[in-house]
Amino acid sequence: MNIGSKNKKRVVLPSRPDPPTVDQMLEDVGRAAPDDPVFSILQRTGQDSARPADGDVETRFQQCRQYLELNERLQEVRGRLLQQREELRAAGEQLESDVMEVKGQTL
């Protein structure tokens, strides 16, 4: 018997609190002082504007569009690859069958 195991007590951690709602987060941000460290960090990193610039919105929109188009193309290619895999599997089975038939004829 391990001596250390007698002294170990199981620690029960408290459950996690529910995450704040959007309204609670907005209220918290609204009550924050202008010199709150979060706002000073955002200013230093150039992220202090509440809305992205129009150019940023357009760039992100184009990136999203390209992502969706690429995702659609990938899904199409995936479907073709699955079909080709099935055709190759069927061709392999047919080849094995033909080889067995040829072997049976030569014996």
Side-chain angles (χ1 to χ4, degrees):
M1 179 184 284
N2 188 350
I3 296 173
S5 65
K6 286 184 179 180
N7 296 331
K8 289 186 181 179
K9 292 183 180 179
R10 185 175 193 145
V11 177
V12 178
L13 298 175
S15 62
R16 290 183 179 187
D18 291 332
T21 64
V22 172
D23 290 334
Q24 290 170 328
M25 288 187 278
L26 291 174
E27 180 184 344
D28 187 40
V29 169
R31 288 187 294 167
D35 61 343
D36 188 283
V38 171
F39 298 123
S40 63
I41 289 170
L42 291 175
Q43 287 173 350
R44 280 185 274 156
T45 61
Q47 300 176 16
D48 59 344
S49 64
R51 293 178 35 150
D54 288 341
D56 291 343
V57 171
E58 181 63 26
T59 299
R60 290 198 177 140
F61 173 77
Q62 292 301 329
Q63 288 173 337
C64 289
R65 225 177 100 226
Q66 289 171 351
Y67 169 80
L68 291 173
E69 289 172 359
L70 180 60
N71 191 40
E72 185 177 318
R73 285 186 11 221
L74 286 172
Q75 292 300 325
E76 291 171 2
V77 169
R78 180 181 178 270
R80 285 197 308 263
L81 285 173
L82 290 172
Q83 179 183 358
Q84 290 173 349
R85 182 184 72 177
E86 184 59 32
E87 291 170 359
L88 285 172
R89 188 194 58 73
E93 288 177 359
Q94 182 63 45
L95 182 60
E96 286 180 24
S97 174
D98 293 346
V99 167
M100 293 303 286
E101 184 181 325
V102 169
K103 283 184 179 180
Q105 292 174 357
T106 59
L107 293 178

